[in-house]
Amino acid sequence: MFISKSLGTNKDGNLTIGGADTTVLAKTFGTPLYVFDENLIIENMRSYKESIDTYYDGRGIVFYASKAFSCKEMARIANREGLGLDVMSGGELFTAQTADFPLDRVCYHGNNKDFEEIQQAIESGVGRIVADSGEELQLIDSIAKTLNKKQKVLLRVTPGVEAHTHEFIQTGQIDSKFGVTLETGAAFDVIDKARKLENIEFAGLHSHIGSQIFDEEPFICAARLLVGFMAKVKKELGINLYELNLGGGFGIKYTKEDKPKPYRTYMQDLIAGLCRACDDFKVEKPFLMVEPGRSIVGAAGITLYTVGGVKNIPGIRKYVSVNGGMSDNPRYILYEAEYEALLAEKPYEEGTETVTIVGKHCESGDVLIKDIKMPEIERGDILAVLATGAYNYSMASNYNRVPRAAAVMVRDGVPRVIIKRESYEDIVRNDI
Ligand SMILES: *Cc1c(COP(=O)(O)O)cnc(C)c1O
């Protein structure tokens, strides 16, 4: 059994993704190569969207958090599926604009949007801006005023729930670069003062408590704190907050140890928790937003590499070098993220030796997978690193002036290039 349902094998015994033979993909498009299974992306988008339809009467919207993998084709797919798009920068917004994404379904985030970015967002007509502070709220208001517009905004708050992969704590976490604290009364004061701002429509709250979280409890806990706060704002300020964005962060299966729930179950539980809180605090059920990123694309993507040098240091370690590394996947060097890998031509073969898969960059930390059991590997083999669909291409760099890899989308076994491979000319394009 493979960790993602996108993967399989064909009659030649080769590894497939979305029904396409990975050895053929590598030969046709070169390596390193990001490959995505469109059917799984769509299935994931639908599980979120249909959950809101089924369990919340459709009173909400799913924003795909585009930072996980931002490109025009992802914006088009999200558009076709009726999702919104979550953007964090002028560049991500520009990507949405150039893909003709309906901007009223765009939600603009970020803890430090600059003047031009806010202007770009309001001018282009994004549906919502999530303000990070009271000061930014005023800036949004004044820019909206000069543009003669009224901008809908949410306020990002830190509800005091901090979630990690396998546990969560209610910290009253005040030490965060994101948002305004609930507990200290800071968020309350911001909302109080926002009443004077004439060019914003203050719709509600936003929170995002972490990433790669497997448990729905921290989300429910956060939702409850937010609904309680909405009740307080209603009672003491007479302000009705009617929108609630609970962020993204749901986990995916990177390795066999990870056991995410089906997204529908997670959404059903989350919505039930939200409704319970609304009943308890006698708050009208808000328009609901969620922003999954990783759980839409992460497991639907793999990266194909060609194996180069294999170096055995007897008694110490065996290094297997591939023709990419931290420039296309910086997640090990950033977080010691764990991955699984398979050989394209013998995906079912049992691992016989422990190796460390490393990249080609000038950093000892340029590791893709430390200590993984693999069958015999030699130069020229095609290696697939799994579940690399999120935060790989979007975090890629040109370190060592390595051109960024191409990305291919596979639909029902048929591949198409969605991002071209960079050339050396691209690398020097901006050099004077
Ligand atoms: C990163 C982020 C997301 C998406 O998180 P995932 O873990 O990829 O689901 C959603 N909302 C905000 C505000 C984020 O910063």
Side-chain angles (χ1 to χ4, degrees):
M1 265 303 284
F2 299 120
I3 59 164
S4 164
K5 65 204 273 188
S6 290
L7 305 173
T9 51
N10 61 10
K11 60 179 180 351
D12 299 323
N14 292 337
L15 178 70
T16 59
I17 173 163
D21 187 322
T22 53
T23 67
V24 176
L25 291 168
K27 208 172 285 164
T28 311
F29 303 104
T31 57
L33 184 71
Y34 299 105
V35 190
F36 293 83
D37 173 19
E38 189 170 4
N39 285 338
L40 184 56
I41 292 172
I42 290 172
E43 183 183 319
N44 292 337
M45 287 179 170
R46 288 181 187 171
S47 5
Y48 280 104
K49 184 166 190 299
E50 289 167 8
S51 296
I52 290 187
D53 293 344
T54 310
Y55 307 120
Y56 206 62
D57 294 332
R59 282 177 297 132
I61 184 169
V62 180
F63 293 114
Y64 163 58
S66 69
K67 72 173 196 252
F69 175 48
S70 175
C71 64
K72 289 195 209 175
E73 189 64 6
M74 278 305 293
R76 291 185 201 109
I77 294 171
N79 187 13
R80 275 204 299 275
E81 292 301 315
L83 269 68
L85 212 58
D86 187 349
V87 303
M88 302 250 175
S89 70
E92 287 177 0
L93 175 56
F94 185 73
T95 306
Q97 287 175 296
T98 53
D100 293 325
F101 196 89
L103 293 160
D104 59 324
R105 276 196 269 135
V106 168
C107 188
Y108 195 107
H109 287 273
N111 72 301
N112 186 24
K113 314 164 190 76
D114 60 34
F115 189 92
E116 288 75 20
E117 287 177 317
I118 295 173
Q119 211 166 25
Q120 179 192 357
I122 298 175
E123 243 174 354
S124 67
V126 303
R128 295 169 182 84
I129 297 181
V130 178
D132 200 73
S133 66
E135 181 266 339
E136 194 182 79
L137 211 48
Q138 289 182 15
L139 183 61
I140 295 168
D141 179 66
S142 73
I143 296 173
K145 192 170 204 154
T146 61
L147 295 171
N148 208 10
K149 292 213 184 190
K150 189 153 185 162
Q151 177 63 49
K152 186 190 270 193
V153 295
L154 308 172
L155 178 67
R156 176 155 183 174
V157 296
T158 40
V161 176
E162 195 189 349
H164 302 281
T165 302
H166 294 293
E167 87 261 31
F168 80 99
I169 33 174
Q170 223 174 307
T171 52
Q173 190 206 14
I174 298 168
D175 187 3
S176 168
K177 76 166 184 174
F178 298 106
V180 188
T181 318
L182 278 195
E183 283 188 316
T184 58
F188 187 85
D189 291 343
V190 169
I191 295 170
D192 188 14
K193 293 204 180 82
R195 284 191 282 192
K196 290 205 270 314
L197 306 176
E198 288 175 356
N199 290 77
I200 60 165
E201 177 194 337
F202 195 94
L205 307 173
H206 168 272
S207 91
H208 174 73
I209 56 172
S211 205
Q212 185 62 2
I213 304 165
F214 290 122
D215 190 1
E216 69 287 345
E217 270 313 309
F219 294 101
I220 293 172
C221 179
R224 195 169 181 85
L225 287 163
L226 292 167
V227 169
F229 180 70
M230 285 161 67
K232 178 181 156 81
V233 167
K234 179 85 193 269
K235 181 155 171 269
E236 294 175 26
L237 297 176
I239 296 174
N240 188 29
L241 301 177
Y242 49 89
E243 295 200 347
L244 185 61
N245 184 330
L246 293 175
F250 209 63
I252 67 160
K253 200 175 179 78
Y254 280 108
T255 70
K256 291 193 176 67
E257 267 74 67
D258 299 327
K259 297 191 172 66
K261 288 182 186 161
Y263 304 148
R264 272 172 223 270
T265 310
Y266 150 69
M267 284 292 288
Q268 185 177 15
D269 294 349
L270 174 65
I271 288 170
L274 172 64
C275 291
R276 225 176 304 125
C278 289
D279 289 346
D280 292 349
F281 288 101
K282 300 191 171 47
V283 166
E284 236 177 85
K285 291 187 183 70
F287 185 81
L288 174 65
M289 291 159 275
V290 290
E291 309 167 324
R294 188 191 312 274
S295 54
I296 300 282
V297 278
I302 62 172
T303 310
L304 300 177
Y305 300 95
T306 304
V307 173
V310 179
K311 183 180 292 175
N312 191 23
I313 308 173
I316 306 284
R317 192 180 296 281
K318 190 164 182 175
Y319 284 100
V320 172
S321 297
V322 297
N323 60 340
M326 61 184 279
S327 59
D328 58 75
N329 183 356
R331 291 190 70 258
Y332 182 88
I333 207 163
L334 280 174
Y335 330 107
E336 296 189 1
E338 290 183 10
Y339 285 100
E340 288 190 4
L342 296 170
L343 287 174
E345 285 183 293
K346 38 185 174 180
Y348 279 125
E349 205 166 300
E350 285 286 313
T352 49
E353 53 179 355
T354 300
V355 302
T356 289
I357 298 167
V358 296
K360 62 182 287 176
H361 296 280
C362 299
E363 291 283 331
S364 298
D366 174 26
V367 171
L368 287 171
I369 306 175
K370 196 173 175 188
D371 295 335
I372 178 175
K373 268 220 142 149
M374 293 295 291
E376 201 179 322
I377 303 186
E378 54 184 25
R379 184 180 282 275
D381 283 347
I382 300 300
L383 181 93
V385 176
L386 311 182
T388 58
Y391 305 109
N392 272 235
Y393 176 81
S394 61
M395 285 185 164
S397 76
N398 287 125
Y399 182 43
N400 291 132
R401 297 234 130 176
V402 168
R404 260 175 272 245
V408 165
M409 187 68 74
V410 177
R411 180 89 197 249
D412 300 324
V414 182
R416 63 183 192 277
V417 175
I418 57 166
I419 303 174
K420 288 191 282 190
R421 186 176 300 283
E422 281 183 340
S423 65
Y424 291 140
E425 277 307 315
D426 291 328
I427 297 283
V428 297
R429 195 176 47 213
N430 294 322
D431 292 9
I432 308 290

